[in-house]
């Protein structure tokens, strides 16, 4: 069975999507449509902007989404997924890929999500840290002992977990995790505590937008970050997508579930090769490739 996976924030790079724009009339039309929907020339920023330009949340999220979705649309008949999944933001790309969401509706949701998350970061200054070399249970237990808000946010692969919370709590957790034997526990250059209770205001904003957006029955199941299991019911997909902002991304568990359900080939669609690398740490034998351009 063919599984397609879609990257999230952090995969962006200067020049992303330019080859698609230059080589495909369909891609050009979609980029122009995106510029109109967003109200600014995102394609110009993607093709010519600096790394700093691309790091702006209002740019990063739609840029990564557009690269993945437009690429999947121009692959034509070769794009035949049996199952899909996306890492955090990438879940929106996955939902366009399997027909749950229309391109325009998903882009509007991604834009609203980015702005809502930015506002939440301003309301509650916060951060994230990557923890390498410890079992998930150890990280979970340490987080519970720390005063303040710090929680597991991204289960990326075995012995690689990102924690999220207030600055003080995350710093204290990093100290405690190093004492427990973590190879690394390092603060990340991010604007806030994504996938934590500190994103509650963003979750509420996004919930309203999601509830008013049409979701169709998908062509194939999506393995969602919150449940890790195959979901095909549009209402259930909505609920999980809303929960995602304040819940952890269970990527390790999701990859294991896709493999258990019969996935034999994985293709990462979009910028970078991060997900392919994470997948290989879950199962070294799995067949995986990345497509970032035509």
């Amino acid at each position: 069975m063919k599984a397609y996976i879609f990257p999230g924030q952090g995969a962006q790079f200067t020049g992303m999507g330019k080859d698609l724009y230059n080589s495909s009339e369909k891609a050009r039309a979609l980029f122009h449509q995106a510029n109109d929907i967003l109200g600014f020339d995102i394609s110009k920023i993607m093709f010519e902007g600096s790394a700093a330009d691309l790091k702006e949340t209002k740019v990063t999220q739609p840029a990564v989404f557009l690269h993945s979705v437009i690429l999947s649309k121009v692959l034509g008949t070769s794009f035949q997924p049996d199952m899909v999944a996306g890492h955090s933001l990438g879940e929106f790309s996955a939902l366009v890929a399997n027909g749950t969401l229309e391109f325009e509706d998903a882009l509007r949701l991604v834009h609203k999500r980015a702005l809502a998350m930015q506002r939440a970061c301003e309301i509650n200054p916060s951060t994230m840290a990557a923890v390498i070399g410890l079992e998930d249970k150890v990280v979970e237990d340490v987080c519970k002992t720390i005063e303040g808000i710090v929680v597991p946010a991204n289960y990326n692969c075995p012995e690689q977990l990102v924690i999220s919370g207030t600055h003080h709590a995350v710093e204290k957790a990093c100290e405690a995790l190093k004492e427990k034997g973590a190879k690394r526990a390092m603060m990340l250059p991010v604007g806030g505590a994504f996938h934590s209770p500190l994103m509650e205001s963003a979750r509420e904003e996004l919930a309203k937008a999601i509830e008013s957006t049409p979701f169709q029955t998908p062509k194939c199941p999506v393995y969602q970050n919150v449940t890790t299991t195959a979901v095909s019911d549009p209402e259930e997909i909505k609920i999980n997508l809303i929960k995602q902002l304040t819940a952890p991304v269970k990527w390790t568990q999701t990859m294991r579930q896709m493999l258990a359900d019969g996935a034999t080939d994985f293709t990462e669609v979009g910028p970078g090769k991060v997900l392919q690398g994470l997948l290989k740490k879950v199962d070294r034998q799995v067949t995986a490739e990345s497509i970032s351009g035509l």
Side-chain angles (χ1 to χ4, degrees):
M1 293 177 77
K2 189 80 173 167
Y4 285 85
I5 52 179
F6 299 86
Q9 197 163 340
Q12 68 275 3
F13 63 90
T14 298
M16 60 191 289
K18 192 172 183 180
D19 61 328
L20 295 174
Y21 184 92
N22 290 337
S23 58
S24 167
E25 192 174 325
K26 186 173 187 177
R28 283 194 291 278
L30 289 168
F31 275 116
H32 292 154
Q33 187 180 4
N35 292 338
D36 291 340
I37 289 169
L38 296 173
F40 65 95
D41 194 344
I42 191 167
S43 55
K44 185 177 176 65
I45 301 172
M46 289 171 69
F47 305 160
E48 302 171 18
S50 66
D53 294 332
L54 282 168
K55 271 188 182 176
E56 279 193 67
T57 302
K58 74 168 188 178
V59 173
T60 310
Q61 295 196 23
V64 172
F65 167 84
L66 287 170
H67 191 282
S68 291
V69 170
I70 292 174
L71 178 54
S72 69
K73 285 187 174 293
V74 300
L75 288 174
T77 55
S78 67
F79 185 77
Q80 297 289 341
D82 295 306
M83 50 179 78
V84 295
H87 191 287
S88 188
L89 160 71
E91 196 159 278
F92 288 85
S93 307
L95 292 173
V96 177
N98 76 350
T100 303
L101 283 169
E102 294 293 336
F103 170 76
E104 310 93 282
D105 291 335
L107 179 58
R108 289 188 184 96
L109 287 177
V110 166
H111 186 48
K112 286 177 181 174
R113 180 183 191 265
L115 296 178
M117 289 172 77
Q118 184 60 48
R119 282 190 284 271
C121 293
E122 290 162 4
I123 294 166
N124 292 304
S126 48
T127 192
M128 303 176 83
V131 182
I132 312 292
L134 285 178
E135 294 290 330
D136 292 345
K137 181 72 165 59
V138 176
V139 180
E140 291 164 354
D141 289 347
V142 167
C143 285
K144 288 173 187 172
T145 69
I146 304 297
E147 189 176 338
I149 297 173
V150 58
V151 296
N154 295 341
Y155 292 80
N156 284 332
C157 66
E159 297 195 0
Q160 186 188 127
L161 207 165
V162 175
I163 58 175
S164 186
T166 60
H167 286 278
H168 180 72
V170 172
E171 286 166 3
K172 285 293 182 188
C174 284
E175 290 171 16
L177 289 162
K178 285 174 185 172
E179 289 174 9
K180 286 285 186 181
K183 290 177 185 173
R184 297 174 81 182
M186 56 183 183
M187 307 294 280
L188 296 174
V190 295
F194 305 139
H195 302 289
S196 84
L198 295 168
M199 286 290 116
E200 178 58 27
S201 61
R203 189 198 66 78
E204 290 172 3
E205 270 192 69
L206 188 63
K208 292 174 187 173
I210 286 174
E211 291 295 355
S212 61
T213 300
F215 279 54
Q216 312 300 323
T217 301
K219 294 177 288 188
C220 69
V222 57
Y223 285 68
Q224 291 189 274
N225 293 175
V226 171
T227 63
T228 78
T229 53
V231 185
S232 294
D233 177 69
E235 288 307 311
E236 192 180 342
I237 291 171
K238 276 189 181 185
I239 290 166
N240 294 333
L241 202 57
I242 292 166
K243 286 180 180 177
Q244 193 218 66
L245 272 186
T246 53
V249 174
K250 297 178 180 176
W251 193 252
T252 307
Q253 301 90 322
T254 299
M255 293 301 97
R256 285 178 173 151
Q257 190 61 53
M258 293 176 94
L259 286 162
D261 288 353
T264 51
D265 299 276
F266 285 79
T267 303
E268 179 176 2
V269 182
K273 297 181 178 181
V274 172
L275 299 184
Q276 183 183 344
L278 296 179
L279 178 60
K280 287 289 188 180
K281 289 177 181 174
V282 173
D283 183 342
R284 289 182 184 177
Q285 306 304 315
V286 70
T287 302
E289 64 173 342
S290 297
I291 303 175
S292 60
L294 291 177

